[in-house]
Amino acid sequence: METHLLRKKEKEKRVILSLSKDIILKMKTKIYKILFIVWSVLILTLSSIPSLSVMKSPIIGMDKVAHFTEYLIFAFLFVKMHKDVRKGVKRLLILACTIPILDELHQIPILGRDFSFYDILADTWGFLVVIFVYWSKCIKATE
């Protein structure tokens, strides 16, 4: 009788623990979605400011570091808001091919801003770092 009660209590604990993990995962996902939206709005806002002055250099400078960093964070938040990391990385690959170009095209009509191929490269590298890190984690998990 006692053994049966102990098994029943253990089963209840496992169910509660499983539910708790699920609730925490859902909360984390929602938090990352909110952060992703806020970050996306921030990027759009900053890229809409005419003549935003960042230390400029012909190729590599603070401007390119800023582009790399903003899209590294963007990509990280995008992957983290997905419950299935593999799906998130696949979707991120599509975004990496489109978002940097759209961001630069969006800046063409803004006074003091222009289309920059080097900015696209810096943005894309931010995406690629996150894609590489998470894709390699997915591969290691399946080995």
Coordinates of all heavy atoms in Angstrom, one line a residue, residues 97-134:
C97 N 18.7 36.7 -45.6 CA 18.8 37.1 -47.0 C 17.9 38.3 -47.4 O 18.1 38.8 -48.5 CB 18.4 35.8 -47.9 SG 19.4 34.4 -47.6
T98 N 17.0 38.6 -46.6 CA 16.1 39.7 -47.0 C 16.2 41.0 -46.2 O 16.2 42.1 -46.7 CB 14.6 39.2 -47.0 OG1 14.3 38.7 -45.7 CG2 14.4 38.1 -48.0
I99 N 16.2 40.8 -44.9 CA 16.1 42.0 -43.9 C 17.2 43.0 -44.2 O 16.9 44.2 -44.3 CB 16.1 41.5 -42.5 CG1 14.8 40.7 -42.2 CG2 16.2 42.7 -41.5 CD1 13.5 41.5 -42.3
P100 N 18.5 42.6 -44.3 CA 19.5 43.6 -44.5 C 19.3 44.5 -45.8 O 19.5 45.7 -45.8 CB 20.8 42.8 -44.6 CG 20.5 41.6 -43.8 CD 19.1 41.3 -44.1
I101 N 18.9 43.8 -46.8 CA 18.6 44.6 -48.1 C 17.4 45.5 -47.9 O 17.4 46.7 -48.3 CB 18.4 43.6 -49.3 CG1 19.6 42.8 -49.5 CG2 17.9 44.3 -50.5 CD1 19.5 41.6 -50.4
L102 N 16.3 45.0 -47.3 CA 15.2 45.8 -47.0 C 15.5 47.0 -46.2 O 15.0 48.1 -46.4 CB 14.0 45.0 -46.4 CG 13.4 44.0 -47.3 CD1 12.4 43.1 -46.5 CD2 12.7 44.6 -48.5
D103 N 16.3 46.8 -45.2 CA 16.7 47.9 -44.3 C 17.5 49.0 -45.1 O 17.2 50.2 -44.9 CB 17.6 47.4 -43.2 CG 18.0 48.5 -42.1 OD1 17.2 49.4 -41.9 OD2 19.1 48.4 -41.6
E104 N 18.3 48.6 -46.0 CA 19.1 49.6 -46.8 C 18.2 50.3 -47.8 O 18.3 51.5 -48.0 CB 20.3 48.9 -47.4 CG 21.4 48.5 -46.5 CD 21.9 49.7 -45.6 OE1 22.2 50.8 -46.2 OE2 21.9 49.6 -44.4
L105 N 17.3 49.5 -48.4 CA 16.3 50.1 -49.4 C 15.4 51.1 -48.7 O 15.1 52.2 -49.2 CB 15.5 49.0 -50.0 CG 16.2 48.1 -51.0 CD1 15.3 47.0 -51.5 CD2 16.7 48.9 -52.3
H106 N 15.1 50.8 -47.4 CA 14.2 51.7 -46.6 C 14.9 53.1 -46.4 O 14.2 54.1 -46.3 CB 13.9 51.0 -45.3 CG 13.5 51.9 -44.2 ND1 14.4 52.3 -43.2 CD2 12.3 52.6 -43.9 CE1 13.8 53.1 -42.4 NE2 12.5 53.3 -42.8
Q107 N 16.2 53.1 -46.4 CA 17.0 54.3 -46.1 C 17.2 55.2 -47.3 O 17.5 56.4 -47.1 CB 18.3 53.9 -45.5 CG 18.2 53.3 -44.1 CD 19.5 52.9 -43.5 OE1 20.5 53.7 -43.6 NE2 19.6 51.8 -42.9
I108 N 17.0 54.7 -48.5 CA 17.2 55.5 -49.7 C 16.5 56.8 -49.7 O 17.1 57.9 -49.9 CB 16.9 54.7 -51.0 CG1 18.0 53.6 -51.1 CG2 16.9 55.6 -52.2 CD1 17.7 52.6 -52.2
P109 N 15.2 56.9 -49.4 CA 14.5 58.2 -49.5 C 14.7 59.1 -48.3 O 14.3 60.2 -48.3 CB 13.0 57.8 -49.6 CG 12.9 56.4 -48.9 CD 14.2 55.8 -49.2
I110 N 15.4 58.6 -47.3 CA 15.6 59.4 -46.1 C 16.9 60.3 -46.3 O 17.9 59.9 -46.6 CB 15.8 58.5 -44.8 CG1 14.6 57.7 -44.6 CG2 16.1 59.3 -43.6 CD1 14.7 56.6 -43.6
L111 N 16.7 61.6 -46.0 CA 17.7 62.6 -46.2 C 18.9 62.2 -45.3 O 18.8 61.9 -44.2 CB 17.2 64.0 -45.8 CG 17.0 65.0 -46.9 CD1 15.9 64.6 -47.8 CD2 16.9 66.4 -46.3
G112 N 20.1 62.3 -45.9 CA 21.3 62.0 -45.2 C 21.6 60.5 -45.0 O 22.7 60.2 -44.5
R113 N 20.8 59.7 -45.5 CA 21.0 58.2 -45.5 C 21.2 57.7 -46.9 O 20.7 58.3 -47.8 CB 19.8 57.5 -44.8 CG 19.5 57.9 -43.4 CD 20.6 57.8 -42.4 NE 21.0 56.5 -42.1 CZ 20.6 55.9 -41.0 NH1 19.8 56.4 -40.1 NH2 21.0 54.6 -40.7
D114 N 21.8 56.6 -47.0 CA 22.0 56.0 -48.3 C 22.1 54.5 -48.3 O 22.3 53.9 -47.2 CB 23.2 56.6 -49.1 CG 24.5 56.4 -48.3 OD1 24.5 55.9 -47.2 OD2 25.6 56.8 -48.9
F115 N 22.0 53.9 -49.4 CA 22.1 52.4 -49.6 C 23.6 52.1 -49.5 O 24.4 52.6 -50.2 CB 21.6 52.0 -50.9 CG 21.5 50.5 -51.1 CD1 20.4 49.8 -50.8 CD2 22.6 49.9 -51.7 CE1 20.3 48.5 -51.1 CE2 22.6 48.5 -51.9 CZ 21.4 47.8 -51.6
S116 N 24.0 51.1 -48.6 CA 25.4 50.7 -48.5 C 25.5 49.2 -48.5 O 24.9 48.5 -47.7 CB 25.9 51.3 -47.1 OG 27.2 50.7 -46.9
F117 N 26.3 48.8 -49.5 CA 26.5 47.3 -49.6 C 27.3 46.8 -48.4 O 27.1 45.7 -47.9 CB 27.3 47.1 -50.9 CG 27.7 45.6 -51.1 CD1 26.7 44.7 -51.4 CD2 29.0 45.2 -50.9 CE1 27.0 43.4 -51.6 CE2 29.3 43.8 -51.1 CZ 28.3 42.9 -51.4
Y118 N 28.2 47.7 -47.8 CA 29.0 47.3 -46.7 C 28.1 47.1 -45.4 O 28.3 46.3 -44.6 CB 30.1 48.2 -46.4 CG 31.1 48.2 -47.5 CD1 31.4 49.3 -48.3 CD2 31.9 47.0 -47.8 CE1 32.3 49.3 -49.3 CE2 32.8 47.0 -48.8 CZ 33.0 48.1 -49.5 OH 34.0 48.1 -50.5
D119 N 27.1 47.9 -45.3 CA 26.1 47.8 -44.2 C 25.4 46.4 -44.3 O 25.1 45.8 -43.3 CB 25.1 48.9 -44.2 CG 25.7 50.2 -43.7 OD1 26.9 50.2 -43.2 OD2 25.0 51.3 -43.8
I120 N 25.0 46.1 -45.6 CA 24.3 44.8 -45.8 C 25.2 43.7 -45.4 O 24.8 42.7 -44.7 CB 23.9 44.6 -47.3 CG1 22.8 45.6 -47.6 CG2 23.5 43.2 -47.6 CD1 22.4 45.7 -49.1
L121 N 26.5 43.8 -45.7 CA 27.5 42.7 -45.3 C 27.6 42.6 -43.8 O 27.6 41.5 -43.2 CB 28.9 43.0 -45.9 CG 29.0 42.7 -47.4 CD1 30.4 43.1 -47.8 CD2 28.7 41.3 -47.7
A122 N 27.7 43.8 -43.1 CA 27.8 43.8 -41.6 C 26.5 43.2 -41.0 O 26.6 42.4 -40.1 CB 28.0 45.2 -41.1
D123 N 25.3 43.6 -41.5 CA 24.1 43.0 -41.0 C 24.0 41.5 -41.2 O 23.7 40.8 -40.3 CB 22.9 43.6 -41.8 CG 22.7 45.1 -41.6 OD1 23.4 45.7 -40.7 OD2 22.0 45.7 -42.4
T124 N 24.4 41.1 -42.4 CA 24.4 39.6 -42.7 C 25.3 38.8 -41.8 O 25.0 37.7 -41.4 CB 24.7 39.4 -44.2 OG1 23.8 40.2 -45.0 CG2 24.6 38.0 -44.6
W125 N 26.5 39.4 -41.5 CA 27.4 38.7 -40.7 C 26.8 38.5 -39.3 O 27.1 37.5 -38.6 CB 28.8 39.4 -40.6 CG 29.7 38.9 -41.7 CD1 30.0 39.6 -42.9 CD2 30.3 37.7 -41.8 NE1 30.8 38.8 -43.7 CE2 31.0 37.6 -43.1 CE3 30.3 36.5 -41.0 CZ2 31.7 36.5 -43.5 CZ3 31.1 35.4 -41.4 CH2 31.7 35.4 -42.6
G126 N 26.1 39.5 -38.8 CA 25.4 39.4 -37.5 C 24.5 38.2 -37.5 O 24.4 37.4 -36.5
F127 N 23.7 38.1 -38.6 CA 22.8 37.0 -38.7 C 23.5 35.6 -38.8 O 23.2 34.7 -38.1 CB 22.0 37.1 -40.0 CG 20.7 37.9 -40.0 CD1 20.8 39.2 -40.5 CD2 19.6 37.5 -39.4 CE1 19.6 40.0 -40.4 CE2 18.4 38.2 -39.4 CZ 18.5 39.5 -39.9
L128 N 24.6 35.6 -39.6 CA 25.3 34.4 -39.8 C 26.0 33.8 -38.6 O 26.1 32.6 -38.4 CB 26.4 34.6 -40.9 CG 25.8 34.8 -42.3 CD1 26.9 35.0 -43.4 CD2 24.9 33.6 -42.8
V129 N 26.5 34.7 -37.7 CA 27.1 34.2 -36.5 C 26.1 33.5 -35.6 O 26.3 32.4 -35.1 CB 27.7 35.4 -35.7 CG1 28.0 35.0 -34.2 CG2 28.9 36.0 -36.4
V130 N 24.9 34.0 -35.5 CA 23.8 33.4 -34.7 C 23.4 32.1 -35.4 O 23.2 31.0 -34.7 CB 22.6 34.3 -34.5 CG1 21.5 33.6 -33.8 CG2 23.0 35.5 -33.6
I131 N 23.2 32.1 -36.7 CA 22.8 30.9 -37.4 C 23.9 29.8 -37.2 O 23.5 28.7 -36.9 CB 22.7 31.2 -39.0 CG1 21.4 32.0 -39.2 CG2 22.6 29.9 -39.8 CD1 21.3 32.6 -40.6
F132 N 25.2 30.1 -37.3 CA 26.2 29.2 -37.2 C 26.2 28.6 -35.8 O 26.3 27.4 -35.6 CB 27.6 29.8 -37.5 CG 28.7 28.9 -37.2 CD1 29.0 27.8 -38.1 CD2 29.5 29.0 -36.1 CE1 30.1 27.0 -37.8 CE2 30.6 28.1 -35.8 CZ 30.8 27.1 -36.7
V133 N 26.1 29.4 -34.8 CA 26.1 29.0 -33.4 C 25.0 28.0 -33.1 O 25.2 26.9 -32.5 CB 26.1 30.1 -32.4 CG1 25.8 29.7 -30.9 CG2 27.4 30.9 -32.4
Y134 N 23.8 28.4 -33.5 CA 22.6 27.6 -33.2 C 22.5 26.3 -34.0 O 22.1 25.3 -33.6 CB 21.3 28.4 -33.2 CG 21.1 29.1 -31.9 CD1 21.4 30.5 -31.8 CD2 20.6 28.5 -30.8 CE1 21.3 31.1 -30.6 CE2 20.4 29.2 -29.6 CZ 20.8 30.5 -29.5 OH 20.6 31.1 -28.3

